[in-house]
Amino acid sequence: MDALNLPAPQGKPRIVVIGGGFGGLNFVHALDTRHYQVVLLDQYNYHTFAPLLYQVATAGLDAPDICGALRKSFRSKKDFHFRMLRVRGIDDGAQEVLTEAGSIHYDQLVLATGTRANFFGNDKLAAHALPLKTVPQARQLRHHLFQTLERADLTDDPAERSSLMTFVIVGGGPSGVELAGALSELRRHVLQRDYPDTDTDHLRFILVEGGDQLLAQFSDKSSDDALRNLEEMNIELWFGKLIADYDGRTATFKDGSTLHTHTVIWGAGVTGEVIEGLSDKSAEKGHYLIDDHMRVREYQNVYAIGDVAYLTSDKWLQGHPGVAQVAIQMGQRLAKNFNALAKNKETQPFEYFDKGNLAIIGRNRAVADLPGGIHLNGFPAWFIWAVVHIFYLIGFRNRLFTFLSWVGNYITYNRSVRLVIEPTLEEELREAHTPATP
Ligand SMILES: Cc1cc2nc3c(=O)[nH]c(=O)nc-3n(C[C@H](O)[C@H](O)[C@H](O)COP(=O)(O)OP(=O)(O)OC[C@H]3O[C@@H](n4cnc5c(N)ncnc54)[C@H](O)[C@@H]3O)c2cc1C
């Protein structure tokens, strides 16, 4: 046995993969482990289907519906080993990955660590704004949302109530648009009935975008359709506004204006999860610089795939988009190249096949830019979105249960997971001040 209870690789090269997201998962699936030992490390023991995080945040789905257990995904894969660990560093000289539980030797290293929210060094914003990148964050957001509404129902101070009932979403990309749409539907179909003593018409959802359009990576048609849909759904859209600060109660914008709100949801910026220890020349602006074989600059045996990697091409002069398909295709191409190398065959450069863009805005409301310049809006786009997302969910249980939850919600408008189960602030304070019984 090697460190961390890992079996020795028995003469095969050991590939260590950090990150079981879209990139890491697809890499491991496609790798031929007759030729390699593969060790997958992730801080969580599940894969997160991020495109549905907003559904968890707005009580449409429960967390297990969008997660797949990593060990279960690979239980029939030979010489596959999973360890639930957060990687703290890399020692490139010794070829070791460093964790709090010990270090692991690698022959080849694959970095598939994705991104995290970027608050551009603003600690106050980081402390008070709510990001939506992980399952714990989605649950925290849902908890905050319903607790804030409960508090609004308790207060008779109009200013406090207005602040509690104002929700700001920062960033007009796909996550901001999808979340704004879902919040509007929640207001219309659930909150109006659940909170009869609160005037839910006064609930404000404000989408703040620094640029002058929504869904900037989509076609102009999709961008315009998204705008029209959100306006119809009573989402306030503020363009050309940049948030400068937020202390948990007051948001201050770069133009000096302020807004009182108990909620700022952060969807404006991300940075790659770059791990300490590789050469300074290997990463720039929070991303690993890779060549078309996904090799990290300065290294022959270190690769990066997915959101954490930066690769330009003739078609993608500003780098490839940070979407699941890029990560999936990079993971698959890299595994095929390793399989080819093991058989002394030629490797192929990465070439992205763009399957288009989809964003859901609400019930029967979505936009789709498909290959061949085809643009869809409304029910057809919504239907394609639903089929694609169910198809890509991993695991039969997820697909079946998520599908049933959706159909149930679609027919009844009922959102079953809107309970505030975590302790309230008041309960936490009370428990902290209750003397222990002798
Ligand atoms: C709210 C939201 C909505 C989205 N919607 C869409 C959409 O509709 N369509 C689309 O195509 N894309 C969407 N995306 C983007 C898509 O999720 C990403 O492009 C994709 O997840 C990238 O895959 P990845 O493998 O690079 O990283 P990820 O899927 O983020 O996986 C990274 C993994 O690395 C692990 N990790 C990170 N650091 C460490 C460490 N130090 N030690 C151990 N483990 C570590 C993480 O736990 C995680 O499991 C969305 C993203 C978000 C956040």
Side-chain angles (χ1 to χ4, degrees):
M1 285 288 164
D2 217 338
L4 301 177
N5 204 25
L6 285 168
Q10 310 286 354
K12 292 194 279 186
R14 176 185 283 165
I15 304 181
V16 173
V17 183
I18 311 177
F22 285 97
L25 195 77
N26 280 278
F27 172 81
V28 176
H29 267 300
L31 187 74
D32 186 343
T33 46
R34 284 174 304 176
H35 307 295
Y36 302 97
Q37 180 185 70
V38 62
V39 178
L40 175 65
L41 308 174
D42 199 296
Q43 59 199 330
Y44 304 118
N45 71 348
Y46 54 85
H47 166 77
T48 301
F49 192 81
L52 290 176
L53 275 173
Y54 82 95
Q55 284 271 352
V56 174
T58 56
L61 292 172
D62 208 353
D65 296 338
I66 69 156
C67 298
L70 287 168
R71 285 181 185 276
K72 189 174 166 219
S73 289
F74 296 112
R75 61 183 173 199
S76 56
K77 193 147 193 115
K78 299 257 181 300
D79 218 357
F80 164 82
H81 311 276
F82 174 74
R83 295 293 179 271
M84 189 172 123
L85 289 166
R86 180 159 177 87
V87 174
R88 301 287 174 193
I90 298 163
D91 181 341
D92 56 356
Q95 293 192 191
E96 281 182 349
V97 163
L98 312 175
T99 79
E100 266 155 23
S103 46
I104 302 169
H105 180 79
Y106 62 83
D107 296 301
Q108 308 283 346
L109 179 63
V110 177
L111 302 159
T113 43
T115 54
R116 64 185 144 84
N118 185 5
F119 295 98
F120 306 103
N122 187 327
D123 292 341
K124 252 207 276 174
L125 207 51
H128 298 289
L130 297 163
L132 183 59
K133 287 287 303 168
T134 64
V135 171
Q137 288 168 354
R139 287 170 57 116
Q140 184 196 7
L141 181 50
R142 181 171 76 198
H143 179 234
H144 171 89
L145 175 72
F146 286 101
Q147 218 173 44
T148 304
L149 291 169
E150 293 302 335
R151 284 180 185 181
D153 218 20
L154 288 172
T155 181
D156 46 17
D157 175 348
E160 174 80 350
R161 177 180 294 206
S162 159
S163 172
L164 283 160
M165 290 177 68
T166 300
F167 294 82
V168 176
I169 304 143
V170 184
S175 332
V177 166
E178 293 185 342
L179 186 64
L183 286 171
S184 167
E185 299 239 301
L186 189 70
R187 169 175 57 192
R188 180 152 171 235
H189 299 300
V190 176
L191 305 181
Q192 278 174 355
R193 284 186 280 169
D194 277 12
Y195 294 83
D197 301 335
T198 302
D199 187 355
T200 42
D201 287 343
H202 285 114
L203 258 179
R204 293 177 74 190
F205 296 121
I206 306 170
L207 182 57
V208 177
E209 163 58 39
D212 57 3
Q213 64 175 148
L214 300 173
L215 302 180
Q217 287 180 340
F218 285 55
S219 66
D220 287 348
K221 256 180 150 228
S222 286
S223 173
D224 293 346
D225 284 336
L227 178 106
R228 190 179 39 75
N229 274 295
L230 287 182
E231 279 176 347
E232 283 170 14
M233 295 164 86
N234 284 329
I235 298 293
E236 290 179 49
L237 298 167
W238 292 7
F239 289 104
K241 276 268 202 195
L242 291 166
I243 194 161
D245 220 341
Y246 180 56
D247 63 3
R249 292 294 176 270
T250 306
T252 308
F253 296 90
K254 287 249 161 77
D255 59 11
S257 59
T258 57
L259 176 75
H260 296 299
T261 173
H262 277 56
T263 310
V264 168
I265 303 166
W266 190 251
V270 291
T271 184
E273 280 280 9
V274 169
I275 298 172
E276 292 276 301
L278 293 186
S279 150
D280 287 348
K281 293 189 184 132
S282 66
E284 235 174 66
K285 294 187 187 148
H287 290 87
Y288 293 109
L289 304 171
I290 58 166
D291 64 18
D292 61 6
H293 278 69
M294 290 154 282
R295 230 177 272 121
V296 172
R297 185 186 281 179
E298 302 264 302
Y299 294 91
Q300 290 302 315
N301 63 342
V302 181
Y303 299 80
I305 55 176
D307 278 9
V308 76
Y310 181 76
L311 173 69
T312 54
S313 69
D314 291 347
K315 189 170 171 215
W316 301 98
L317 295 171
Q318 308 294 322
H320 285 69
V323 294
Q325 270 303 322
V326 170
I328 291 170
Q329 292 178 33
M330 279 187 170
Q332 290 171 342
R333 170 47 48 215
L334 184 59
K336 284 181 189 162
N337 282 351
F338 271 115
N339 297 342
L341 280 173
K343 294 177 193 152
N344 288 323
K345 289 193 176 155
E346 262 189 45
T347 58
Q348 302 286 326
F350 172 70
E351 224 173 294
Y352 176 45
F353 174 60
D354 187 359
K355 295 185 180 170
N357 285 317
L358 288 166
I360 188 168
I361 303 161
R363 201 181 160 87
N364 297 341
R365 292 174 192 261
V367 290
D369 290 329
L370 303 177
I374 299 167
H375 165 77
L376 296 177
N377 174 35
F379 179 77
W382 179 89
F383 185 75
I384 291 176
W385 184 95
V387 171
V388 166
H389 284 76
I390 295 281
F391 177 78
Y392 275 104
L393 269 176
I394 59 165
F396 176 72
R397 185 200 173 273
N398 296 53
R399 274 188 208 147
L400 183 68
F401 277 72
T402 307
F403 177 70
L404 293 176
S405 296
W406 249 330
V407 172
N409 277 338
Y410 194 86
I411 295 167
T412 63
Y413 288 104
N414 188 26
R415 295 187 177 230
S416 54
V417 280
R418 55 186 186 256
L419 313 175
V420 179
I421 290 170
E422 284 85 353
T424 61
L425 187 62
E426 288 73 15
E427 277 171 11
E428 280 168 22
L429 288 172
R430 210 180 309 130
E431 273 173 26
H433 291 104
T434 307
T437 36

